[in-house]
Amino acid sequence: MTRPLIVAIDGPAAAGKGTLARRLAAELGLPYLDTGLLYRAVGRRVLDREGDPKDAAMAEAEARALHPADLDRADLRSAEAAMAASGVAAVPGVRAALLAFQRSFGQARGAVLDGRDIGTVVFPEAPVKFFVTASPEARARRRWLEQQAGGGTATLAEVEADVRRRDDQDAHRSVAPMLPAADAMLLDTTALDADAAFAAALAQLRARLG
Ligand code: CDP
């Protein structure tokens, strides 16, 4: 019996993981899970209680109480939710609480999952892993353009400072830090648009799977 295919996509903020993951999932006929949304939803729940995302007891309690409807909230994409996500994501109990859901999502029919620790912790045995990066300036510009399109008022410099602060926090936490798996294929999208990144990833994936 062949195992369902898992494609793991990790990398820093606004590197183009989500767009790439969605397109690969459609191409391969696999379900897609944006794992960042889980952490954003836990962060939001803590903010709703006027708590500190780094308060381990509160963050873990909110992760354990997470409800599917929390993932449909309209306020998960803001910069505030992103920073709260990065705060709760450093709490070991939060990561443990979200692990089983991510694994069972993938094990059912295979999946494309994007996040920070998919290839290292959630599915270390995934046959296809990408670590998607781009320069901090390029990533900040993309996030700023997204925010502008949504009516955001933050300056490019503010968005870049947020992106750098979050990357630093994600890369230096003690549990499941963001880092490329040893067998991950690196994809630098600094000079690639979404179509070119998709084409490059698909070529790498086909080479890997033979
Ligand atoms: O979309 P963007 O890349 O900016 O962020 P995201 O993927 O929605 O993730 C938000 C935050 O959740 C990250 O900064 C990480 O701190 C955390 N996260 C994580 O720790 N592990 C994951 N598998 C996914 C997200």
Side-chain angles (χ1 to χ4, degrees):
M1 211 179 80
T2 54
R3 283 201 217 166
L5 178 62
I6 299 289
V7 177
I9 303 184
D10 292 304
K17 304 180 300 289
T19 306
L20 176 63
R22 229 172 262 113
R23 291 182 67 166
L24 285 176
E27 174 76 19
L28 300 168
L30 293 172
Y32 163 56
L33 181 63
D34 171 359
T35 67
L37 267 193
L38 303 173
Y39 293 91
R40 286 171 182 261
V42 174
R44 264 291 162 211
R45 289 184 61 110
V46 172
L47 295 179
D48 286 349
R49 290 183 55 191
E50 296 182 0
D52 175 356
K54 291 183 178 167
D55 173 338
M58 188 187 288
E60 182 175 344
E62 294 307 326
R64 297 204 176 278
L66 194 67
H67 190 273
D70 292 324
L71 303 179
D72 296 328
R73 290 177 61 154
D75 54 2
L76 300 182
R77 291 282 165 210
S78 67
E80 188 191 21
M83 273 319 289
S86 187
V88 300
V91 175
V94 168
R95 307 202 72 88
L98 300 180
L99 195 56
F101 174 81
Q102 295 173 79
R103 287 197 173 139
S104 57
F105 183 95
Q107 278 156 356
R109 294 193 289 127
V112 179
L113 301 96
D114 79 51
R116 301 292 185 287
D117 64 338
I118 308 303
T120 50
V121 175
V122 181
F123 284 108
E125 72 294 350
V128 180
K129 299 178 187 176
F130 290 102
F131 194 81
V132 184
T133 60
S135 71
E137 294 79 10
R139 293 187 288 110
R141 174 163 288 277
R142 286 178 198 158
R143 187 51 47 94
W144 177 70
L145 288 172
E146 270 169 32
Q147 291 184 3
Q148 294 271 302
T153 55
T155 65
L156 176 57
E158 285 165 347
V159 173
E160 183 172 335
D162 267 7
V163 159
R164 287 182 185 271
R165 192 150 59 97
R166 192 148 60 87
D167 287 351
D168 185 61
Q169 194 161 288
D170 291 346
H172 294 105
R173 65 188 176 214
S174 57
V175 56
M178 167 177 73
L179 89 177
D183 55 348
M185 297 178 278
L186 299 182
L187 183 63
D188 185 331
T189 67
T190 305
L192 304 180
D193 65 12
D195 286 348
F198 174 62
L202 201 55
Q204 284 182 309
L205 180 146
R206 290 200 169 123
R208 175 70 62 102
L209 292 178

